[in-house]
Amino acid sequence: MSETFDIVIIGSGMGGATCAAGLAPSGAEILILERGERLTRTAATRDPRAIFQRGVFRPQETWIDGAGQPFNPGNYYYVGGNTKLYGAVLIRYRARDFHPIEYAEGATPGWPFDYDELEPWYGRAEALYQARGALGQDPTEPPHSSPYPLPAVPDEPAIAVARQRMARVGLRPFSLPMGIDVEKWLAGGKTAWDSFPNVGDGKMDAEAGGLAVALAHPNVRLQTGARVERLILESDGKRIKGVEYRLGDETRFVAAKLVVASAGAVNSAALLLRSAEGGLANRSGLVGRHFMNHNATAVLAIDPRVVNDSIYQKTLGINDFYLDDGRGGPPLGNIQLLGRVTGPILKANVKWAPEWSLHWVSRHAVDWYAMSEDLPNPESRVTVDGAQIHLDWKRSNWRAHVRLVDKLRERLRAAGYPFALTRPFDRRTPSHQCGTVRIGADPKAAPLDPYCRAWDHPNLFVVDASFLPTSAAVNPSLSVAAQALRVADHIVKTDLKG
Ligand SMILES: Cc1cc2nc3c(=O)[nH]c(=O)nc-3n(C[C@H](O)[C@H](O)[C@H](O)COP(=O)(O)OP(=O)(O)OC[C@H]3O[C@@H](n4cnc5c(N)ncnc54)[C@H](O)[C@@H]3O)c2cc1C
């Protein structure tokens, strides 16, 4: 079976869905091919034991790590991609993140353009995802030409107290910008939303945001259950002819004038590597390289005298160690609250402990998340062996991360939390994966130009977290969405005219 579309988008996550929303008003015939299906409400969607202990939403897939060990990645294949389970923090990279940064253990290259270039699309992405936030609290906040569309998500009473305690020890907690309608979320069940799947309960994920807007246009079609296996080149080796995908037991081909790969940083790289000898769009030899994820640690601050009865918790961020270590040394990273970590969630990580004891720990803990930049390293990479994905993540900048966790523990002690339990996130959690098909001004140093167009193939774009040349130390989605809208405008201007 063969059809032709103006644009085929591979993947309906943050990059693909948002790009589709930007392209849809052009009237171009757009097909979105999504490997997963729509998530629907079941008994498991708000059951922490099903989600965290039994992993019912995780894929039936194993990747191989750098030591040759198989692991089951927390990489979610649904309409909306990883955003279905995301924490909905919609935060901009800081202006400084667009420039090279020197760390003790290496440096970042910066972006091929400044923050100011992306700024208008950050505003549009915040509008599309109905971001809720408050300007003027975070000392690292970059300039905004538009206010947040909605006021910040309120702190629950226990978290308002935690905010005061952290402020008393000289930190400047700010309201995390979030894409969540709390009332609607809580009506669906009294749980946090971070790592819980959204089934129309008010979390502004890629399905509820970009995809819903795109599909309101009659020229946009979504095909679910369609797993793209390779891109096919024209005989001139320059232009992409179309894509081959599996739908059930059938292999299908769809012709496209323009292809946007948005399968996520691991899968877009894997797709390009599988599509041609030596990899498609790979003159630089860099497709799959520079894989980054954040260095992240959960820090449970325990005060046995105080009860944390919050449900969602996730409303605070702290950037006092973002631009430097607090004493003018290299930056350390961002601190933010996790979604509320309850007994059943702790049990998934501490299997030997009885759940009642973990419930006690949880009642007296405020759950923080320390996050530091991972630096681009060409040896940190995605490779493929037929259908098998290999992910050899080489962590970097770990010393800065350890210092960030130490700083947080020190301030927590000063704020009256006598104990802190810490646990780093491991390689099975590639939540903030990025960098594998990066943008750059030099075709020798990056597979994509600054508009995410493949230097080697004029009708191929890669628009997902792959394009990010740096991981910064804040959550990636809003930057993916902003660039997706910028790229869509560029395509409409340069490729769809006439
Ligand atoms: C638990 C969790 C919490 C997170 N919290 C936050 C947060 O609070 N804030 C934030 O900014 N970020 C957060 N993230 C990260 C965020 O979800 C990602 O940065 C974002 O989704 C990346 O967008 P993407 O387009 O690159 O990939 P995705 O959104 O994952 O989209 C990729 C899509 O491609 C599809 N696909 C893959 N392969 C194929 C194929 N071969 N054919 C067809 N379709 C395919 C997938 O099914 C998926 O729909 C979180 C992630 C997780 C897992």
Tab-separated table of all heavy atoms in Angstrom, residues 10-16 33-36 74-83 85-90 194-195 226-229 262-265 267 271 314 431-433 463-466 475-478 480, ligand 1:
chain	number	residue	atom	x	y	z
A	10	ILE	N	7.235	11.329	12.612
A	10	ILE	CA	7.413	10.025	13.279
A	10	ILE	C	7.465	10.255	14.781
A	10	ILE	O	8.439	10.778	15.310
A	10	ILE	CB	8.707	9.351	12.796
A	10	ILE	CG1	8.693	9.200	11.275
A	10	ILE	CG2	8.898	8.004	13.493
A	10	ILE	CD1	10.070	8.949	10.680
A	11	GLY	N	6.380	9.909	15.480
A	11	GLY	CA	6.329	10.074	16.932
A	11	GLY	C	5.420	11.225	17.327
A	11	GLY	O	5.453	12.300	16.709
A	12	SER	N	4.604	10.993	18.373
A	12	SER	CA	3.633	12.014	18.798
A	12	SER	C	3.952	12.522	20.200
A	12	SER	O	3.063	12.911	20.949
A	12	SER	CB	2.222	11.414	18.788
A	12	SER	OG	2.154	10.374	19.752
A	13	GLY	N	5.239	12.493	20.589
A	13	GLY	CA	5.633	13.027	21.894
A	13	GLY	C	5.828	14.538	21.820
A	13	GLY	O	5.270	15.213	20.947
A	14	MET	N	6.618	15.073	22.751
A	14	MET	CA	6.729	16.531	22.868
A	14	MET	C	7.195	17.169	21.556
A	14	MET	O	6.641	18.164	21.110
A	14	MET	CB	7.673	16.881	24.017
A	14	MET	CG	7.578	18.305	24.458
A	14	MET	SD	5.862	18.830	24.715
A	14	MET	CE	5.813	19.370	26.369
A	15	GLY	N	8.223	16.590	20.925
A	15	GLY	CA	8.728	17.176	19.686
A	15	GLY	C	7.735	17.030	18.548
A	15	GLY	O	7.372	18.016	17.879
A	16	GLY	N	7.260	15.810	18.302
A	16	GLY	CA	6.393	15.539	17.151
A	16	GLY	C	5.042	16.228	17.254
A	16	GLY	O	4.572	16.862	16.299
A	33	LEU	N	2.882	9.211	12.454
A	33	LEU	CA	2.988	7.769	12.695
A	33	LEU	C	3.471	7.558	14.121
A	33	LEU	O	4.560	8.004	14.478
A	33	LEU	CB	3.982	7.135	11.715
A	33	LEU	CG	3.565	7.157	10.243
A	33	LEU	CD1	4.704	6.661	9.358
A	33	LEU	CD2	2.305	6.315	10.025
A	34	GLU	N	2.668	6.921	14.924
A	34	GLU	CA	3.012	6.728	16.338
A	34	GLU	C	3.022	5.233	16.642
A	34	GLU	O	2.042	4.539	16.399
A	34	GLU	CB	2.008	7.474	17.225
A	34	GLU	CG	2.031	7.108	18.693
A	34	GLU	CD	3.408	7.230	19.362
A	34	GLU	OE1	4.040	8.290	19.239
A	34	GLU	OE2	3.835	6.238	19.999
A	35	ARG	N	4.102	4.811	17.230
A	35	ARG	CA	4.279	3.390	17.558
A	35	ARG	C	3.288	2.905	18.632
A	35	ARG	O	2.828	1.764	18.603
A	35	ARG	CB	5.718	3.247	18.041
A	35	ARG	CG	6.056	2.032	18.769
A	35	ARG	CD	7.520	2.093	19.163
A	35	ARG	NE	7.795	1.008	20.084
A	35	ARG	CZ	9.003	0.569	20.392
A	35	ARG	NH1	10.062	1.137	19.870
A	35	ARG	NH2	9.172	-0.422	21.219
A	36	GLY	N	2.964	3.778	19.578
A	36	GLY	CA	2.111	3.369	20.692
A	36	GLY	C	0.632	3.596	20.411
A	36	GLY	O	0.233	4.009	19.326
A	74	GLY	N	12.976	2.924	31.311
A	74	GLY	CA	11.742	3.685	31.585
A	74	GLY	C	11.487	4.646	30.429
A	74	GLY	O	11.558	5.862	30.583
A	75	ASN	N	11.196	4.092	29.264
A	75	ASN	CA	10.967	4.888	28.051
A	75	ASN	C	9.589	4.483	27.544
A	75	ASN	O	9.368	3.311	27.246
A	75	ASN	CB	12.048	4.548	27.010
A	75	ASN	CG	12.075	5.532	25.876
A	75	ASN	OD1	12.095	6.738	26.093
A	75	ASN	ND2	12.060	5.033	24.655
A	76	TYR	N	8.669	5.450	27.455
A	76	TYR	CA	7.261	5.073	27.334
A	76	TYR	C	6.736	5.287	25.921
A	76	TYR	O	6.891	6.368	25.357
A	76	TYR	CB	6.442	5.870	28.357
A	76	TYR	CG	6.894	5.541	29.762
A	76	TYR	CD1	7.853	6.313	30.415
A	76	TYR	CD2	6.407	4.404	30.406
A	76	TYR	CE1	8.296	5.982	31.687
A	76	TYR	CE2	6.844	4.060	31.687
A	76	TYR	CZ	7.784	4.857	32.316
A	76	TYR	OH	8.230	4.513	33.568
A	77	TYR	N	6.113	4.229	25.380
A	77	TYR	CA	5.607	4.265	24.009
A	77	TYR	C	4.081	4.353	24.026
A	77	TYR	O	3.390	3.332	24.065
A	77	TYR	CB	6.053	3.013	23.253
A	77	TYR	CG	7.565	2.870	23.179
A	77	TYR	CD1	8.215	1.831	23.824
A	77	TYR	CD2	8.328	3.785	22.461
A	77	TYR	CE1	9.596	1.702	23.750
A	77	TYR	CE2	9.706	3.670	22.392
A	77	TYR	CZ	10.327	2.625	23.039
A	77	TYR	OH	11.696	2.505	22.973
A	78	TYR	N	3.595	5.557	24.034
A	78	TYR	CA	2.155	5.808	23.979
A	78	TYR	C	1.949	7.044	23.112
A	78	TYR	O	2.910	7.790	22.854
A	78	TYR	CB	1.583	6.106	25.386
A	78	TYR	CG	1.737	4.938	26.326
A	78	TYR	CD1	2.734	4.930	27.292
A	78	TYR	CD2	0.887	3.834	26.219
A	78	TYR	CE1	2.879	3.835	28.143
A	78	TYR	CE2	1.035	2.746	27.068
A	78	TYR	CZ	2.036	2.750	28.019
A	78	TYR	OH	2.193	1.677	28.852
A	79	VAL	N	0.723	7.298	22.702
A	79	VAL	CA	0.422	8.575	22.072
A	79	VAL	C	0.753	9.646	23.116
A	79	VAL	O	0.223	9.609	24.226
A	79	VAL	CB	-1.066	8.643	21.640
A	79	VAL	CG1	-1.429	10.036	21.153
A	79	VAL	CG2	-1.356	7.593	20.569
A	80	GLY	N	1.676	10.550	22.765
A	80	GLY	CA	2.155	11.536	23.751
A	80	GLY	C	3.524	11.191	24.311
A	80	GLY	O	4.154	12.009	24.983
A	81	GLY	N	3.995	9.974	24.055
A	81	GLY	CA	5.365	9.589	24.430
A	81	GLY	C	5.637	9.705	25.920
A	81	GLY	O	4.755	9.479	26.761
A	82	ASN	N	6.857	10.075	26.240
A	82	ASN	CA	7.261	10.146	27.650
A	82	ASN	C	6.496	11.205	28.433
A	82	ASN	O	6.435	11.149	29.669
A	82	ASN	CB	8.771	10.407	27.747
A	82	ASN	CG	9.560	9.120	27.578
A	82	ASN	OD1	9.184	8.079	28.102
A	82	ASN	ND2	10.645	9.175	26.828
A	83	THR	N	5.892	12.153	27.734
A	83	THR	CA	5.166	13.192	28.480
A	83	THR	C	3.911	12.630	29.162
A	83	THR	O	3.360	13.262	30.055
A	83	THR	CB	4.746	14.384	27.594
A	83	THR	OG1	3.756	13.950	26.651
A	83	THR	CG2	5.931	14.999	26.873
A	85	LEU	N	3.827	10.398	31.223
A	85	LEU	CA	4.154	10.140	32.637
A	85	LEU	C	4.995	11.260	33.226
A	85	LEU	O	5.475	11.159	34.356
A	85	LEU	CB	4.888	8.793	32.772
A	85	LEU	CG	3.950	7.596	32.611
A	85	LEU	CD1	3.977	7.052	31.200
A	85	LEU	CD2	4.247	6.517	33.619
A	86	TYR	N	5.176	12.344	32.482
A	86	TYR	CA	6.151	13.331	32.964
A	86	TYR	C	5.631	14.131	34.161
A	86	TYR	O	4.447	14.060	34.512
A	86	TYR	CB	6.678	14.198	31.830
A	86	TYR	CG	5.901	15.404	31.352
A	86	TYR	CD1	6.596	16.465	30.751
A	86	TYR	CD2	4.527	15.516	31.467
A	86	TYR	CE1	5.942	17.587	30.290
A	86	TYR	CE2	3.870	16.651	30.996
A	86	TYR	CZ	4.590	17.683	30.411
A	86	TYR	OH	3.949	18.792	29.955
A	87	GLY	N	6.571	14.866	34.776
A	87	GLY	CA	6.220	15.641	35.960
A	87	GLY	C	5.611	16.985	35.625
A	87	GLY	O	5.222	17.746	36.516
A	88	ALA	N	5.526	17.304	34.309
A	88	ALA	CA	4.872	18.525	33.815
A	88	ALA	C	5.572	19.817	34.237
A	88	ALA	O	4.954	20.879	34.209
A	88	ALA	CB	3.391	18.548	34.197
A	89	VAL	N	6.841	19.725	34.640
A	89	VAL	CA	7.599	20.961	34.893
A	89	VAL	C	7.925	21.563	33.531
A	89	VAL	O	8.530	20.893	32.683
A	89	VAL	CB	8.914	20.677	35.653
A	89	VAL	CG1	9.731	21.953	35.800
A	89	VAL	CG2	8.615	20.069	37.012
A	90	LEU	N	7.474	22.774	33.293
A	90	LEU	CA	7.690	23.430	31.998
A	90	LEU	C	8.567	24.655	32.222
A	90	LEU	O	8.075	25.764	32.387
A	90	LEU	CB	6.339	23.808	31.383
A	90	LEU	CG	5.471	22.612	30.972
A	90	LEU	CD1	4.075	23.060	30.560
A	90	LEU	CD2	6.112	21.813	29.842
A	194	ASP	N	3.606	13.233	38.872
A	194	ASP	CA	4.950	12.916	38.384
A	194	ASP	C	5.091	11.386	38.323
A	194	ASP	O	4.928	10.707	39.344
A	194	ASP	CB	5.965	13.499	39.383
A	194	ASP	CG	7.370	13.573	38.821
A	194	ASP	OD1	7.581	13.189	37.663
A	194	ASP	OD2	8.267	14.030	39.558
A	195	SER	N	5.346	10.856	37.141
A	195	SER	CA	5.497	9.412	36.893
A	195	SER	C	4.172	8.649	36.900
A	195	SER	O	4.169	7.422	36.801
A	195	SER	CB	6.457	8.747	37.887
A	195	SER	OG	7.735	9.320	37.764
A	226	ALA	N	1.865	2.253	14.684
A	226	ALA	CA	2.689	2.279	13.463
A	226	ALA	C	4.142	2.506	13.857
A	226	ALA	O	4.526	3.623	14.222
A	226	ALA	CB	2.210	3.396	12.542
A	227	ARG	N	4.903	1.453	13.797
A	227	ARG	CA	6.302	1.532	14.240
A	227	ARG	C	7.205	1.719	13.022
A	227	ARG	O	7.325	0.824	12.188
A	227	ARG	CB	6.649	0.245	14.967
A	227	ARG	CG	8.050	0.204	15.460
A	227	ARG	CD	8.246	-1.043	16.270
A	227	ARG	NE	9.624	-1.179	16.656
A	227	ARG	CZ	10.033	-1.833	17.726
A	227	ARG	NH1	9.164	-2.404	18.512
A	227	ARG	NH2	11.295	-1.926	17.995
A	228	VAL	N	7.806	2.883	12.923
A	228	VAL	CA	8.651	3.168	11.747
A	228	VAL	C	9.961	2.400	11.884
A	228	VAL	O	10.608	2.420	12.936
A	228	VAL	CB	8.903	4.682	11.614
A	228	VAL	CG1	9.885	4.963	10.479
A	228	VAL	CG2	7.578	5.401	11.381
A	229	GLU	N	10.324	1.698	10.802
A	229	GLU	CA	11.538	0.867	10.856
A	229	GLU	C	12.699	1.498	10.126
A	229	GLU	O	13.841	1.315	10.510
A	229	GLU	CB	11.230	-0.496	10.260
A	229	GLU	CG	10.081	-1.148	11.032
A	229	GLU	CD	10.195	-2.625	11.108
A	229	GLU	OE1	10.239	-3.251	10.048
A	229	GLU	OE2	10.249	-3.147	12.243
A	262	SER	N	10.690	12.344	15.132
A	262	SER	CA	10.459	12.810	16.509
A	262	SER	C	10.213	11.615	17.411
A	262	SER	O	9.275	11.596	18.217
A	262	SER	CB	9.238	13.742	16.558
A	262	SER	OG	9.403	14.856	15.719
A	263	ALA	N	11.054	10.602	17.276
A	263	ALA	CA	10.839	9.345	18.008
A	263	ALA	C	11.500	9.349	19.379
A	263	ALA	O	11.481	8.344	20.079
A	263	ALA	CB	11.331	8.176	17.163
A	264	GLY	N	12.104	10.471	19.773
A	264	GLY	CA	12.823	10.542	21.057
A	264	GLY	C	14.316	10.368	20.812
A	264	GLY	O	14.734	9.840	19.776
A	265	ALA	N	15.128	10.809	21.777
A	265	ALA	CA	16.572	10.899	21.526
A	265	ALA	C	17.225	9.539	21.288
A	265	ALA	O	18.180	9.438	20.526
A	265	ALA	CB	17.258	11.614	22.685
A	267	ASN	N	15.450	6.672	20.176
A	267	ASN	CA	14.859	6.014	19.007
A	267	ASN	C	15.067	6.768	17.695
A	267	ASN	O	15.157	6.134	16.644
A	267	ASN	CB	13.373	5.747	19.253
A	267	ASN	CG	13.186	4.516	20.104
A	267	ASN	OD1	13.425	3.403	19.641
A	267	ASN	ND2	12.817	4.709	21.359
A	271	LEU	N	16.821	4.978	14.631
A	271	LEU	CA	16.152	4.943	13.326
A	271	LEU	C	17.101	5.407	12.210
A	271	LEU	O	17.190	4.777	11.147
A	271	LEU	CB	14.925	5.850	13.406
A	271	LEU	CG	13.976	5.889	12.231
A	271	LEU	CD1	13.424	4.500	11.942
A	271	LEU	CD2	12.826	6.858	12.555
A	314	LYS	N	4.807	18.668	44.337
A	314	LYS	CA	5.810	19.171	43.366
A	314	LYS	C	5.572	20.629	42.960
A	314	LYS	O	5.155	20.911	41.815
A	314	LYS	CB	5.758	18.275	42.135
A	314	LYS	CG	6.973	18.403	41.222
A	314	LYS	CD	6.903	17.389	40.102
A	314	LYS	CE	8.066	17.513	39.159
A	314	LYS	NZ	9.350	17.133	39.725
A	431	SER	N	15.040	9.395	31.531
A	431	SER	CA	13.917	10.338	31.396
A	431	SER	C	14.297	11.587	30.624
A	431	SER	O	13.506	12.103	29.847
A	431	SER	CB	13.424	10.778	32.775
A	431	SER	OG	13.217	9.696	33.605
A	432	HIS	N	15.505	12.100	30.853
A	432	HIS	CA	15.886	13.370	30.236
A	432	HIS	C	16.903	13.141	29.113
A	432	HIS	O	17.789	13.953	28.880
A	432	HIS	CB	16.416	14.335	31.302
A	432	HIS	CG	15.352	14.788	32.266
A	432	HIS	ND1	15.591	15.618	33.338
A	432	HIS	CD2	14.025	14.516	32.333
A	432	HIS	CE1	14.471	15.834	34.006
A	432	HIS	NE2	13.502	15.170	33.421
A	433	GLN	N	16.751	12.025	28.416
A	433	GLN	CA	17.637	11.674	27.297
A	433	GLN	C	17.666	12.794	26.250
A	433	GLN	O	16.637	13.380	25.920
A	433	GLN	CB	17.142	10.388	26.633
A	433	GLN	CG	15.705	10.485	26.139
A	433	GLN	CD	15.167	9.176	25.587
A	433	GLN	OE1	15.383	8.842	24.452
A	433	GLN	NE2	14.458	8.435	26.429
A	463	VAL	N	13.181	16.518	15.173
A	463	VAL	CA	12.615	17.484	16.121
A	463	VAL	C	12.147	16.752	17.373
A	463	VAL	O	10.976	16.387	17.514
A	463	VAL	CB	11.459	18.276	15.471
A	463	VAL	CG1	10.976	19.372	16.417
A	463	VAL	CG2	11.889	18.893	14.154
A	464	ASP	N	13.053	16.471	18.229
A	464	ASP	CA	12.761	15.902	19.548
A	464	ASP	C	13.976	16.191	20.397
A	464	ASP	O	14.869	16.950	19.964
A	464	ASP	CB	12.421	14.395	19.450
A	464	ASP	CG	13.523	13.579	18.808
A	464	ASP	OD1	14.697	13.999	18.866
A	464	ASP	OD2	13.230	12.510	18.236
A	465	ALA	N	14.083	15.570	21.566
A	465	ALA	CA	15.188	15.930	22.467
A	465	ALA	C	16.562	15.574	21.883
A	465	ALA	O	17.582	16.002	22.423
A	465	ALA	CB	14.983	15.260	23.820
A	466	SER	N	16.595	14.841	20.778
A	466	SER	CA	17.875	14.546	20.107
A	466	SER	C	18.632	15.817	19.745
A	466	SER	O	19.853	15.830	19.720
A	466	SER	CB	17.660	13.814	18.788
A	466	SER	OG	16.794	12.759	18.871
A	475	ASN	N	14.611	20.678	33.393
A	475	ASN	CA	13.828	19.704	32.639
A	475	ASN	C	13.725	20.144	31.175
A	475	ASN	O	13.566	21.322	30.876
A	475	ASN	CB	12.430	19.598	33.252
A	475	ASN	CG	12.465	19.681	34.769
A	475	ASN	OD1	12.978	20.635	35.328
A	475	ASN	ND2	11.952	18.688	35.435
A	476	PRO	N	13.777	19.171	30.235
A	476	PRO	CA	13.956	19.537	28.823
A	476	PRO	C	12.712	19.885	28.000
A	476	PRO	O	12.823	20.535	26.957
A	476	PRO	CB	14.583	18.263	28.228
A	476	PRO	CG	14.152	17.150	29.135
A	476	PRO	CD	13.969	17.740	30.494
A	477	SER	N	11.521	19.457	28.422
A	477	SER	CA	10.363	19.473	27.506
A	477	SER	C	10.038	20.825	26.898
A	477	SER	O	9.724	20.915	25.706
A	477	SER	CB	9.106	19.021	28.239
A	477	SER	OG	9.138	17.671	28.422
A	478	LEU	N	10.058	21.871	27.714
A	478	LEU	CA	9.633	23.168	27.172
A	478	LEU	C	10.612	23.639	26.095
A	478	LEU	O	10.188	24.265	25.113
A	478	LEU	CB	9.506	24.209	28.291
A	478	LEU	CG	8.814	25.491	27.824
A	478	LEU	CD1	7.311	25.279	27.663
A	478	LEU	CD2	9.068	26.657	28.776
A	480	VAL	N	12.264	21.631	24.096
A	480	VAL	CA	11.936	20.823	22.908
A	480	VAL	C	10.713	21.439	22.212
A	480	VAL	O	10.694	21.604	20.989
A	480	VAL	CB	11.659	19.350	23.307
A	480	VAL	CG1	11.161	18.539	22.129
A	480	VAL	CG2	12.924	18.716	23.901
B	1	LIG	C1	8.775	9.877	34.412
B	1	LIG	C2	9.206	11.070	33.607
B	1	LIG	C3	9.093	12.347	34.142
B	1	LIG	C4	9.492	13.455	33.389
B	1	LIG	N1	9.261	14.714	33.887
B	1	LIG	C5	9.544	15.790	33.123
B	1	LIG	C6	9.193	17.098	33.558
B	1	LIG	O1	8.614	17.290	34.622
B	1	LIG	N2	9.496	18.139	32.746
B	1	LIG	C7	10.140	17.966	31.555
B	1	LIG	O2	10.441	18.957	30.890
B	1	LIG	N3	10.455	16.738	31.120
B	1	LIG	C8	10.158	15.647	31.850
B	1	LIG	N4	10.430	14.400	31.379
B	1	LIG	C9	11.095	14.278	30.081
B	1	LIG	C10	10.133	14.496	28.911
B	1	LIG	O3	9.072	13.601	28.977
B	1	LIG	C11	10.932	14.356	27.620
B	1	LIG	O4	12.002	15.289	27.642
B	1	LIG	C12	10.089	14.623	26.381
B	1	LIG	O5	8.983	13.767	26.328
B	1	LIG	C13	10.970	14.457	25.155
B	1	LIG	O6	10.217	14.639	23.996
B	1	LIG	P1	10.584	13.815	22.697
B	1	LIG	O7	9.722	14.321	21.605
B	1	LIG	O8	12.056	13.806	22.525
B	1	LIG	O9	10.233	12.271	23.037
B	1	LIG	P2	8.871	11.615	23.498
B	1	LIG	O10	7.989	12.624	24.111
B	1	LIG	O11	9.188	10.407	24.299
B	1	LIG	O12	8.186	11.156	22.120
B	1	LIG	C14	8.704	10.152	21.287
B	1	LIG	C15	7.533	9.469	20.602
B	1	LIG	O13	7.986	8.667	19.512
B	1	LIG	C16	7.313	7.412	19.534
B	1	LIG	N5	8.187	6.471	18.836
B	1	LIG	C17	9.391	5.988	19.243
B	1	LIG	N6	9.915	5.191	18.293
B	1	LIG	C18	9.038	5.186	17.254
B	1	LIG	C19	9.036	4.557	15.968
B	1	LIG	N7	10.042	3.774	15.560
B	1	LIG	N8	7.969	4.757	15.144
B	1	LIG	C20	6.926	5.555	15.538
B	1	LIG	N9	6.898	6.173	16.752
B	1	LIG	C21	7.939	5.993	17.579
B	1	LIG	C22	7.130	7.141	21.025
B	1	LIG	O14	6.130	6.179	21.266
B	1	LIG	C23	6.772	8.533	21.537
B	1	LIG	O15	5.394	8.787	21.415
B	1	LIG	C24	10.048	13.269	32.095
B	1	LIG	C25	10.163	11.986	31.564
B	1	LIG	C26	9.749	10.892	32.298
B	1	LIG	C27	9.874	9.516	31.691
